[in-house]
Amino acid sequence: QVQLQESGPGLVKPSETLSLTCSVSGGSISDYYWNWIRQPPGKGLEWIGYIDYSGSTNYNPSLKSRVSMSVDTSKTQFSLKLSSVTAADTAVYYCARGRATYNYGDYVWYFDYWGQGTLVTVSS
Amino acid sequence: QSVLTQPPSASGTPGQRVTISCSGSSSNIGSNTVNWYQQLPGTAPKLLIYSNNQRPSGVPDRFSGSKSGTSASLAISGLQSEDEADYYCAAWDDSLNGRGVFGTGTKVTVL
């Protein structure tokens, strides 16, 4: 059974960099897209971006200037860095495994396994 | 921020059928498949439907999905108390070099 677990500081000061790691167990890190998704308290879901096992990335354009992701295949971990944080970045951050294929020309893209999420608060 | 539009709430009594809509555009739902996620209170989202109408193993067949043009729907038949949750649609959007987009979310209440 695939499991994902987020880890990192729960409190980050404004203007600093948020850093989180997602540890993957029970499955290979190859052949999938590894995603970060966040949810501000009481609000909806926002896709942050993904990284694949080779290190190729795709970031949400709204966050692209501040986001960086990396992958460590030997440790089956992947990481998120979000710079210059403000209170608006306070959210529960989830990591999730992404799958992608094509079905009669339509792009099939979904998250089949999620971590439990970790709350990151931006405050001085 | 959300690109896909859902009604904020839906409700029904046990045993009833509830339907949730998800409206998008040609760059997302119109050209890619739709997924649905269920988020029970205080927990991470869970994949409910993928590729418009496919259920992962373990998801009851009370849940069904459909897509037509730039809109999609999730139907819950035989509503149960444990179905009370937030539901989100999602799809890939081909604009801006490609990005994942979610719906605004719908809170389902079992009366």
Side-chain angles (χ1 to χ4, degrees):
Chain A
Q1 176 75 348
V2 176
Q3 293 186 330
L4 292 83
Q5 178 68 55
E6 304 90 351
S7 60
L11 180 64
V12 181
K13 289 182 168 52
S15 80
E16 295 189 344
T17 297
L18 177 160
S19 297
L20 295 174
T21 295
C22 182
S23 299
V24 181
S25 61
S28 169
I29 204 163
S30 302
D31 301 326
Y32 300 102
Y33 297 90
W34 301 96
N35 296 261
W36 289 98
I37 296 147
R38 70 180 183 178
Q39 184 172 36
K43 296 187 178 181
L45 301 167
E46 180 182 30
W47 178 74
I48 299 171
Y50 71 65
I51 187 168
D52 71 13
Y53 71 97
S54 71
S56 294
T57 56
N58 190 332
Y59 303 143
N60 190 324
S62 67
L63 298 168
K64 190 173 184 176
S65 63
R66 299 193 291 129
V67 171
S68 174
M69 295 183 187
S70 60
V71 63
D72 186 334
T73 55
S74 65
K75 294 182 179 179
T76 61
Q77 292 179 338
F78 60 106
S79 299
L80 167 71
K81 289 188 185 299
L82 181 65
S83 64
S84 305
V85 297
T86 69
D89 296 309
T90 293
V92 175
Y93 285 76
Y94 296 100
C95 56
R97 190 177 84 168
R99 305 191 69 167
T101 186
Y102 280 91
N103 182 24
Y104 295 102
D106 283 357
Y107 190 50
V108 179
W109 172 84
Y110 58 95
F111 311 118
D112 57 356
Y113 289 97
W114 295 64
Q116 65 184 26
T118 186
L119 174 64
V120 178
T121 301
V122 178
S123 175
S124 54
Chain B
Q1 178 79 354
S2 294
V3 174
L4 308 179
T5 302
Q6 299 177 233
S9 62
S11 62
T13 57
Q16 277 190 329
R17 176 183 170 93
V18 170
T19 301
I20 301 168
S21 62
C22 175
S23 178
S25 67
S26 59
S27 64
N28 42 67
I29 295 178
S31 52
N32 299 307
T33 64
V34 178
N35 316 306
W36 291 90
Y37 299 91
Q38 177 193 57
Q39 187 174 32
L40 297 170
T43 69
K46 166 193 166 186
L47 180 64
L48 203 61
I49 297 286
Y50 68 98
S51 193
N52 300 332
N53 54 20
Q54 301 300 301
R55 283 186 307 277
S57 174
V59 173
D61 59 6
R62 303 185 290 103
F63 295 94
S64 62
S66 63
K67 184 185 108 167
S68 179
T70 59
S71 294
S73 293
L74 172 71
I76 310 173
S77 59
L79 191 65
Q80 299 183 6
S81 57
E82 57 260 40
D83 298 333
E84 189 158 292
D86 293 322
Y87 293 83
Y88 294 90
C89 59
W92 188 256
D93 189 293
D94 295 329
S95 65
L96 300 174
N97 238 18
R99 54 177 178 153
V101 291
F102 284 97
T104 48
T106 299
K107 169 68 176 179
V108 169
T109 301
V110 181
L111 301 171

